[in-house]
């Protein structure tokens, strides 16, 4: 007899599963017309134009990325000239957009016209906040068309009050004898030699039509001021009393807010102009970017990675497949992953385990209440081509919710209420929950001897709840749970009520 029952239950389970797949199949879309707002982790990933004009996810280029220390960043991507940090606004612009970039897809072209790109900083930005400057780094990529004395790459001119006397200030980088000379005038507080002027001069001659990276750095901890080309030190000074490390430091000080001019007198290309309120924290990152940029690859060989937010479904949901609209040029690849579970609040980067899945193929053994999608994108061997994802469709099965009992009654007792109901007409019901409370529609009971609401009473049609207070009215409803998965609870029955009391 037990064997027959097991066979019958198995056949019922199979039939229920087939029924669920047929009538409770659902989909969830990422991308497409919906967009990619559900993708909240993007490492080395950006958006491009996909099928039908919708956004797609593609590999990001090796353009400079802002970080918590970035004060100004002009990346010139997508033909733009705005500061990606929002700290500076454009006052004047005579530069042109160019696709001959060394970082990313865009650069700026200066044709030697007077003015260049003039920026005004907001309060709190580096060039618009009077006071100690701290550590900083100014860096940029250059590809000059000509190398002549007097060509100015950037300039900031201001003034400050020292003991009641107004003195001018200057930070500039310009061409001098086929090299770059950086000048700091009255920037370092207490430094009076050479009328307060400090010069950094490169030793490497610039070559027309060739990209090179330049960085001017100051560290307030030791007073080191240095100039680097392609990550190699060209000139160094210590802004200290002795001119060497280990003595009293002359700190950098910014005076009155003033405009910053980029390429006010320069002929050639410039890319990724940046000002950073730090040096030590990002120097290694910049050196890595330089090495990557000097390599002709547009996309890094490590590729990019994205992850979706946890996607809420229903208890016991069965994930069936992941179908993605993709463009995968030769030598490029996309690897998809998915994971699922019941409580995403305890998820970590590695738990639950990410499961590799094939685009469009059947997924087996993955169930849960929440699901999360991830993918790795890899470029071709030359780093010049990226794959893309235009849309991801998750196909999953939601198991049916059992119907509630059609008829429920409540009989009061002394400190108790006995509930009775008919069996659910739904064959998927495996047992019942009783919900109770002291207000209609609010089943937040915490007072019954049998436990808090709801109470799992098993597969029965009558149950007595005790420990109730005589004279207090209580409201009840009954819901069935599924024999396929007890986490699946159906809708509530019609509400009934009773007021316990001594008969």
């Amino acid at each position: 007899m037990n064997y027959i029952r097991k066979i019958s239950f198995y056949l019922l389970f199979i039939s229920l599963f087939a029924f669920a797949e047929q009538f409770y199949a659902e989909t969830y879309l990422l991308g497409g017309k919906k967009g990619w707002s559900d993708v909240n982790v993007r490492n080395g990933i950006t958006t491009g134009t996909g099928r039908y004009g919708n956004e797609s996810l593609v590999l990001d280029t090796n353009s400079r990325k802002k970080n918590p220390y970035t004060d100004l960043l002009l990346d010139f991507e997508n033909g733009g000239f705005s500061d990606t940090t929002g700290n500076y606004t454009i006052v004047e612009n005579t530069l042109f957009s160019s696709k001959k970039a060394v970082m990313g897809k865009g650069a700026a072209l200066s044709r030697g016209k007077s003015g260049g790109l003039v920026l005004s900083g907001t309060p709190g930005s580096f060039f618009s906040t009077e006071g100690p400057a701290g550590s900083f780094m100014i860096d940029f990529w250059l590809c000059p068309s000509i190398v002549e004395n007097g060509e100015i790459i950037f300039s900031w001119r201001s003034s400050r009050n020292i003991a009641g006397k107004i003195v001018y200030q200057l930070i500039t980088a310009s061409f001098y004898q086929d090299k770059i000379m950086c000048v700091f005038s009255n920037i370092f507080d207490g430094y009076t030699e050479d009328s307060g002027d400090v010069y950094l001069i490169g030793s490497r001659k610039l070559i027309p039509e060739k990209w090179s990276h330049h960085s001017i750095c100051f560290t307030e901890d030791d007073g080191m001021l240095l100039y680097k080309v392609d990550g190699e030190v060209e000139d160094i000074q210590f802004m200290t009393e002795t001119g060497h490390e280990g003595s009293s430091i002359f700190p950098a000080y910014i005076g009155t807010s003033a405009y910053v001019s980029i390429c006010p007198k320069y002929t050639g290309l410039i890319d990724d102009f940046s000002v950073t309120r730090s040096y030590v924290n990002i120097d290694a990152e910049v050196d890595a970017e330089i090495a990557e940029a000097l390599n002709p690859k547009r996309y890094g060989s490590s590729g990019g990675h994205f992850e979706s937010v946890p996607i809420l479904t229903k208890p016991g949901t069965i994930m069936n497949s992941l179908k993605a609209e993709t463009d995968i040029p030769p030598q490029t690849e996309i690897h998809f992953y998915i994971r699922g579970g019941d409580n995403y609040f305890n998820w970590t980067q590695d738990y639950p385990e990410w499961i590799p899945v094939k685009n469009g193929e059947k997924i087996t053994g993955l169930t849960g209440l929440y699901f999360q999608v991830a993918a790795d994108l890899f470029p071709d061997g030359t780093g010049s081509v990226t794959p893309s994802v235009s849309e991801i469709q998750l196909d999953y099965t939601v198991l049916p919710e059992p119907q509630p009992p059609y008829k429920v009654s409540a009989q009061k007792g002394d400190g108790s209420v006995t509930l009775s109901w008919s069996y659910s007409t739904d064959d998927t019901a495996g047992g019942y929950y009783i919900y109770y409370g002291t207000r209609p529609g609010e089943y937040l009971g915490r007072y019954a001897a049998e436990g808090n609401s709801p109470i799992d009473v098993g597969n029965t049609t009558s149950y007595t709840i005790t420990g109730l207070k005589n004279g207090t009215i209580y409201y009840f409803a009954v819901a069935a749970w599924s024999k396929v998965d007890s986490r699946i609870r159906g809708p509530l029955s019609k509400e009934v009520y009773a007021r316990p009391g001594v008969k």
Side-chain angles (χ1 to χ4, degrees):
M1 182 63 69
N2 289 335
Y3 177 77
I4 294 175
R5 287 177 178 173
K6 290 180 179 179
I7 293 296
S8 299
F9 179 78
Y10 177 76
L11 293 175
L12 174 63
F13 179 84
I14 295 299
S15 63
L16 288 174
F17 185 76
F19 178 81
E21 281 199 318
Q22 183 177 0
F23 295 102
Y24 292 87
E26 295 189 12
T27 61
Y28 189 92
L29 291 179
L30 296 163
K33 292 183 178 180
K34 181 181 178 182
W36 296 99
S37 59
D38 288 341
V39 173
N40 64 338
V41 175
R42 305 183 188 188
N43 297 324
I45 297 292
T46 188
T47 54
T49 302
R51 297 187 62 183
Y52 313 115
N54 298 322
E55 279 188 340
S56 65
L57 295 181
V58 297
L59 288 173
D60 200 356
T61 60
N62 56 358
S63 61
R64 185 71 171 272
K65 306 298 185 299
K66 64 181 179 180
N67 59 58
Y69 305 99
T70 305
D71 178 75
L72 167 65
L73 176 57
L74 302 167
D75 60 11
F76 308 113
E77 294 297 289
N78 303 315
F81 293 89
S82 61
D83 169 28
T84 62
T85 70
N87 293 331
Y88 294 82
T89 57
I90 296 176
V91 177
E92 178 185 351
N93 181 28
T94 62
L95 303 184
F96 300 87
S97 177
S98 173
K99 294 183 178 179
K100 297 179 180 180
V102 64
M103 299 288 284
K105 299 179 180 179
L109 171 64
S110 176
R111 293 177 176 169
K113 292 185 177 181
S114 175
L117 181 64
V118 181
L119 302 171
S120 174
T122 58
S125 60
F126 183 79
F127 290 110
S128 297
T129 304
E130 187 170 1
S135 299
F136 62 86
M137 180 171 74
I138 302 169
D139 72 297
F140 47 87
W141 286 89
L142 279 185
C143 182
S145 298
I146 57 175
V147 181
E148 292 183 353
N149 287 350
E151 293 265 299
I152 301 174
I153 300 157
F154 81 89
S155 177
W156 176 78
R157 297 175 182 272
S158 182
S159 62
R160 61 173 295 200
N161 189 319
I162 301 179
K165 180 181 179 181
I166 302 299
V167 297
Y168 79 95
Q169 286 189 303
L170 172 68
I171 302 177
T172 186
S174 59
F175 288 178
Y176 173 73
Q177 296 182 353
D178 300 334
K179 306 163 190 174
I180 284 185
M181 177 175 65
C182 306
V183 181
F184 296 83
S185 295
N186 299 311
I187 298 298
F188 297 99
D189 201 24
Y191 181 79
T192 58
E193 294 184 23
D194 298 325
S195 301
D197 293 338
V198 180
Y199 298 87
L200 292 174
I201 302 176
S203 58
R204 187 184 314 186
K205 291 186 176 182
L206 300 185
I207 301 173
E209 308 300 334
K210 183 177 180 180
W211 283 104
S212 57
H213 181 266
H214 304 262
S215 59
I216 304 103
C217 318
F218 175 72
T219 52
E220 63 176 342
D221 292 339
D222 56 9
M224 180 179 63
L225 179 66
L226 76 161
Y227 167 54
K228 299 167 72 175
V229 177
D230 290 340
E232 300 293 331
V233 176
E234 295 279 299
D235 195 3
I236 184 172
Q237 295 193 39
F238 282 92
M239 304 311 302
T240 62
E241 287 186 352
T242 62
H244 300 283
E245 188 176 5
S247 59
S248 298
I249 298 168
F250 300 123
Y253 192 98
I254 296 296
T256 305
S257 173
Y259 293 160
V260 184
S261 296
I262 311 297
C263 304
K265 187 181 178 183
Y266 166 73
T267 306
L269 295 165
I270 188 168
D271 201 359
D272 283 4
F273 187 96
S274 175
V275 177
T276 310
R277 304 292 286 267
S278 178
Y279 168 63
V280 177
N281 292 302
I282 64 162
D283 186 44
E285 294 180 14
V286 173
D287 285 346
E289 290 177 357
I290 294 169
E292 186 76 27
L294 293 176
N295 186 322
K297 293 184 177 181
R298 171 167 289 182
Y299 306 105
S301 57
S302 59
H305 176 83
F306 70 81
E307 296 176 13
S308 73
V309 298
I311 299 165
L312 174 64
T313 58
K314 293 182 180 179
T317 293
I318 301 168
M319 184 58 59
N320 297 322
S321 65
L322 179 151
K323 301 174 183 176
E325 292 284 351
T326 62
D327 179 27
I328 306 178
Q331 299 184 30
T332 68
E333 289 187 15
I334 301 177
H335 299 169
F336 289 103
Y337 308 87
I338 193 168
R339 62 179 178 175
D342 292 327
N343 182 9
Y344 81 88
F345 295 103
N346 65 359
W347 288 13
T348 65
Q349 185 58 40
D350 301 316
Y351 174 84
E353 180 182 1
W354 289 100
I355 300 173
V357 295
K358 297 292 185 181
N359 187 4
E361 293 188 6
K362 178 79 173 176
I363 298 173
T364 59
L366 184 60
T367 63
L369 176 62
Y370 293 92
F371 295 92
Q372 195 174 10
V373 177
D376 293 323
L377 277 65
F378 299 97
D380 67 332
T382 65
S384 59
V385 181
T386 174
S388 65
V389 183
S390 299
E391 181 181 284
I392 297 175
Q393 175 179 299
L394 297 179
D395 293 337
Y396 56 91
T397 297
V398 176
L399 297 181
E401 296 177 346
Q403 295 301 306
Y406 176 72
K407 184 178 181 180
V408 180
S409 62
Q411 181 66 41
K412 70 177 181 179
D414 184 2
S416 66
V417 172
T418 298
L419 296 172
S420 300
W421 58 91
S422 58
Y423 277 112
S424 170
T425 58
D426 196 332
D427 290 336
T428 65
Y432 301 89
Y433 282 102
I434 293 177
Y435 293 76
Y436 71 95
T438 56
R439 300 183 65 179
E442 294 185 5
Y443 308 113
L444 307 176
R446 297 290 185 270
Y447 1 86
E450 289 71 26
N452 298 336
S453 175
I455 302 171
D456 185 352
V457 299
N459 193 11
T460 183
T461 59
S462 180
Y463 195 83
T464 300
I465 298 178
T466 64
L468 304 181
K469 185 177 180 181
N470 287 339
T472 299
I473 189 170
Y474 294 89
Y475 298 86
F476 304 89
V478 179
W481 49 260
S482 174
K483 65 174 61 176
V484 178
D485 191 324
S486 61
R487 296 170 300 174
I488 302 174
R489 303 179 188 183
L492 297 176
S493 69
K494 183 179 179 180
E495 183 177 82
V496 294
Y497 61 88
R499 192 187 304 270
V502 178
K503 293 184 180 179

